[in-house]
Amino acid sequence: QVQLVESGGGSAQAGGSLRISCAVSGDMSSRYCLGWLRQAPGLQREGVAAISAGGGRTDYADSVKGRFTISRDDAKKTMYLQMNSLEPEDTAMYYCAAERCPGSWYFPSPGAYTYWGQGTQVTVSS
């Protein structure tokens, strides 16, 4: 059982930065694989970044590689998404999510996640 609460969303100008956080609580939460996903108006939810238990492996959607960094601090029970060089296309509701780690690594689809936060809005202006 995992509970997820996002924070840190807001507005930024194109080229700016934001860091959003996800508080992760629950027994054995450090054993879960975590991810950030987003959904823009009129579009399907898509995976943005994923991180393995322990943080040893990360992966990103092509659209954010080189700009976004996912990390986790299990001592603080928090996951982060550092977003740099923001673009208007990054505007979306951002969700953190958790799943029991699969036997082999893959970039999870939204349907793979079992637990979800309620989301935090990120808006990037031109």
Side-chain angles (χ1 to χ4, degrees):
Q1 298 84 2
V2 178
Q3 296 80 44
L4 306 165
V5 181
E6 302 94 338
S7 63
S11 299
Q13 295 182 345
S17 298
L18 285 173
R19 189 179 75 165
I20 55 177
S21 302
C22 176
V24 185
S25 62
D27 292 341
M28 306 296 290
S29 59
S30 64
R31 303 287 297 273
Y32 282 76
C33 290
L34 305 174
W36 287 99
L37 306 97
R38 67 187 182 186
Q39 187 167 18
L43 301 179
Q44 292 185 315
R45 191 170 298 183
E46 63 175 344
V48 175
I51 189 166
S52 64
R57 187 159 188 152
T58 60
D59 206 354
Y60 301 89
D62 289 342
S63 60
V64 306
K65 286 181 179 177
R67 300 189 298 118
F68 290 10
T69 302
I70 188 172
S71 62
R72 64 191 295 170
D73 186 338
D74 288 326
K76 297 181 179 179
K77 304 192 75 172
T78 304
M79 177 179 64
Y80 305 95
L81 185 67
Q82 178 67 47
M83 301 180 288
N84 297 327
S85 301
L86 284 164
E87 303 170 353
E89 292 74 21
D90 296 318
T91 295
M93 183 73 73
Y94 283 73
Y95 300 88
C96 59
E99 62 166 336
R100 294 184 178 182
C101 294
S104 59
W105 173 259
Y106 63 95
F107 190 69
S109 65
Y113 289 100
T114 304
Y115 302 97
W116 294 82
Q118 295 188 26
T120 186
Q121 179 68 37
V122 172
T123 302
V124 183
S125 60
S126 300

